[in-house]
Amino acid sequence: MTGMMTQHSESVVIRSLRRLKEFYFPSNVREVLDREEEGPGFLDRLPVDLQFQIMTLLSSVDICRLGATSRYWRALVRDPPLWRFFLLRDMPHWPSIDHLTMPQLDVSTISEDSEQDDDERTETKVDYMAQYLKGCPSCRQRWLPLWPPYRVLMSFLQSLVPSSEPRYAMFGPGMEQMDVSIVTRLLHATDILPMSVNPNSHINGPSVIGSGISYIFNDQHKFNIFTLYSTTRAERDRAKVQNQYMSDKLFTLVGSVDSGHPIYRPSPQVQQVCQVVDGIIYVANAQPGSGDRESEAAQIRAVLSSTSKPLLVLSCISREKCEAVETTCVQTTHRTPCVEMAKRLCLPQLPNPWMVQDTVAESLSGLLNGISWLLRSSGVKVYGN
């Protein structure tokens, strides 16, 4: 089904590009242009199918550079169906997305207009190119401002000023359902995130609310993570065997809205935590087919109720699978794409800053990128990331 949709999307793009080529190089004057000194260049003469295949092999930055070579290529690289195709192709592979870069469109509607007239498709009000460039992680990284030349001095001066350590509460089914515990990996990953104090340190607020772990990011920023489990270790082990996620000790179901979506109230302990932390880390189970969309979204809303604190969603799987392709072992990832995770958890409807980051519990890949975003969202000046 996906292959058929891809082939159909390609045919839509090629038809649109052919119309553009016919506009810039009409067939009745093509022979005249061929005899002129400034006629079509080598790339211009290629069939549209080949021009399209060339663009599919280029990065988004290189495509934009190609558009600066002539009016014809500028029109081609600005063609909405072309970037609509790139969105459909690349969005499932983006390793992170946040409240500023989430494309303002529903991917399911992108392919629903396949039966519309070609002219109607090209006159869309959606700037697919802008949507792609603002959401593509490689484009975001490229357009980040350069580090200031005085960042080393600023970091030193900043270290002289005492500041409170940011505190974050972490919870979610990805903490309890995985074969590999992300919390256990954090405790033993001192090479990635060194611990600055013993794991039995306290996180203090209006009252002592429990124990947490203090880490050091980039050898300069200290922060605390307070873990919230729904059950005891023995109950979690039984829940893993039964493939269940028990959340009754963290939340209480108090009713439902008219649409049938549940309404949860955090337990008094969770409410205490939310009052004193600077942000929330939600560990989602990104394995395909897992998770209760309505319950998870409702619990996140309950935790963030009446607060503007940032939310980091770690879209987590236990490990990357290795599949044999002929004689070569290739790493493949079977997971829910981060864009789909954002929609599953109804994050675009939240007023809070949020980010979804693909994470592998076994290697903690992607975790540092998420922590860096969370620290910046909490007001910490993070340099070098």
Side-chain angles (χ1 to χ4, degrees):
M1 182 67 179
T2 303
M4 293 177 60
M5 181 179 296
T6 302
Q7 291 179 1
H8 182 78
S9 299
E10 290 182 2
S11 65
V12 171
V13 176
I14 291 172
R15 287 200 304 269
S16 180
L17 296 181
R18 279 180 182 150
R19 288 200 310 275
L20 287 171
K21 187 169 186 178
E22 183 64 25
F23 175 79
Y24 281 92
F25 304 118
S27 56
N28 57 344
V29 298
R30 192 167 299 161
E31 295 181 0
V32 177
L33 289 175
D34 289 346
R35 293 193 297 268
E36 293 181 356
E37 186 177 347
E38 297 183 358
F42 173 74
L43 286 178
D44 303 337
R45 299 172 188 270
L46 292 176
V48 170
D49 307 59
L50 287 180
Q51 292 175 343
F52 170 66
Q53 292 301 324
I54 290 173
M55 286 189 285
T56 62
L57 299 175
L58 299 177
S59 69
S60 55
V61 175
D62 289 335
I63 292 176
C64 294
R65 288 172 176 169
L66 181 61
T69 58
S70 69
R71 289 188 302 167
Y72 169 65
W73 281 101
R74 182 179 184 276
L76 253 62
V77 303
R78 293 285 303 181
D79 194 38
L82 177 69
W83 290 96
R84 183 176 59 180
F85 170 83
F86 289 150
L87 270 175
L88 277 173
R89 184 193 65 178
D90 297 342
M91 279 180 66
H93 306 290
W94 289 350
S96 64
I97 203 73
D98 60 33
H99 63 291
L100 297 176
T101 60
M102 180 77 173
Q104 300 299 312
L105 69 155
D106 186 354
V107 180
S108 62
T109 64
I110 295 179
S111 58
E112 289 176 357
D113 57 353
S114 57
E115 300 301 326
Q116 293 178 5
D117 181 77
D118 286 342
D119 294 333
E120 294 179 1
R121 282 196 297 267
T122 57
E123 293 176 359
T124 177
K125 295 181 180 179
V126 179
D127 189 343
Y128 291 110
M129 182 179 180
Q131 296 293 320
Y132 184 98
L133 295 179
K134 82 169 185 178
C136 178
S138 61
C139 298
R140 283 185 271 153
Q141 187 66 30
R142 186 179 183 87
W143 291 341
L144 285 176
L146 297 176
W147 303 344
Y150 49 85
R151 71 175 180 86
V152 177
L153 176 60
M154 290 296 295
S155 297
F156 171 73
L157 295 176
Q158 186 182 27
S159 65
L160 300 179
V161 180
S163 59
S164 59
E165 300 177 6
R167 297 161 293 185
Y168 306 109
M170 184 166 71
F171 75 104
M175 284 174 49
E176 309 184 29
Q177 295 176 348
M178 297 292 172
D179 296 334
V180 179
S181 169
I182 189 172
V183 177
T184 302
R185 286 289 296 121
L186 279 170
L187 288 172
H188 296 89
T190 54
D191 57 325
I192 299 176
L193 279 177
M195 287 186 292
S196 61
V197 295
N198 293 327
N200 60 354
S201 63
H202 288 291
I203 299 177
N204 298 308
S207 61
V208 177
I209 58 177
S211 60
I213 309 169
S214 184
Y215 293 98
I216 301 178
F217 181 80
N218 277 5
D219 297 325
Q220 57 180 328
H221 305 296
K222 289 184 180 180
F223 67 95
N224 293 281
I225 293 181
F226 183 75
T227 54
L228 300 175
Y229 285 103
S230 63
T231 55
T232 63
R233 180 181 295 272
E235 291 172 327
R236 292 197 300 272
D237 291 340
R238 287 197 300 269
K240 284 183 180 179
V241 174
Q242 300 172 1
N243 195 25
Q244 296 178 347
Y245 172 53
M246 304 174 63
S247 59
D248 54 298
K249 292 187 177 180
L250 294 180
F251 300 93
T252 302
L253 181 63
V254 296
S256 61
V257 296
D258 295 337
S259 59
H261 296 167
I263 300 176
Y264 286 94
R265 181 177 64 241
S267 67
Q269 182 187 13
V270 175
Q271 292 180 25
Q272 264 193 321
V273 172
C274 295
Q275 290 174 1
V276 298
V277 297
D278 300 284
I280 304 295
I281 302 175
Y282 184 80
V283 186
N285 188 344
Q287 297 174 151
S290 63
D292 184 343
R293 169 176 179 169
E294 294 183 356
S295 296
E296 288 186 85
Q299 290 171 7
I300 290 176
R301 287 196 300 270
V303 167
L304 296 176
S305 177
S306 68
T307 179
S308 59
K309 295 172 182 177
L311 168 70
L312 170 63
V313 176
L314 299 179
S315 184
C316 195
I317 58 174
S318 295
R319 57 179 64 84
E320 291 179 331
K321 295 183 179 180
C322 189
E323 294 183 353
V325 180
E326 296 180 354
T327 59
T328 306
C329 186
V330 179
Q331 279 193 337
T332 58
T333 304
H334 302 276
R335 66 182 314 142
T336 302
C338 65
V339 175
E340 293 299 321
M341 181 63 72
K343 294 196 296 183
R344 185 178 100 181
L345 300 178
C346 303
L347 301 184
Q349 284 75 50
L350 291 175
N352 308 66
W354 57 265
M355 177 185 184
V356 180
Q357 173 65 53
D358 283 349
T359 308
V360 180
E362 187 176 54
S363 62
L364 296 180
S365 65
L367 178 67
L368 292 183
N369 186 45
I371 294 296
S372 175
W373 175 88
L374 192 58
L375 287 170
R376 291 197 302 267
S377 299
S378 304
V380 178
K381 301 297 182 182
V382 179
Y383 297 108
N385 276 276

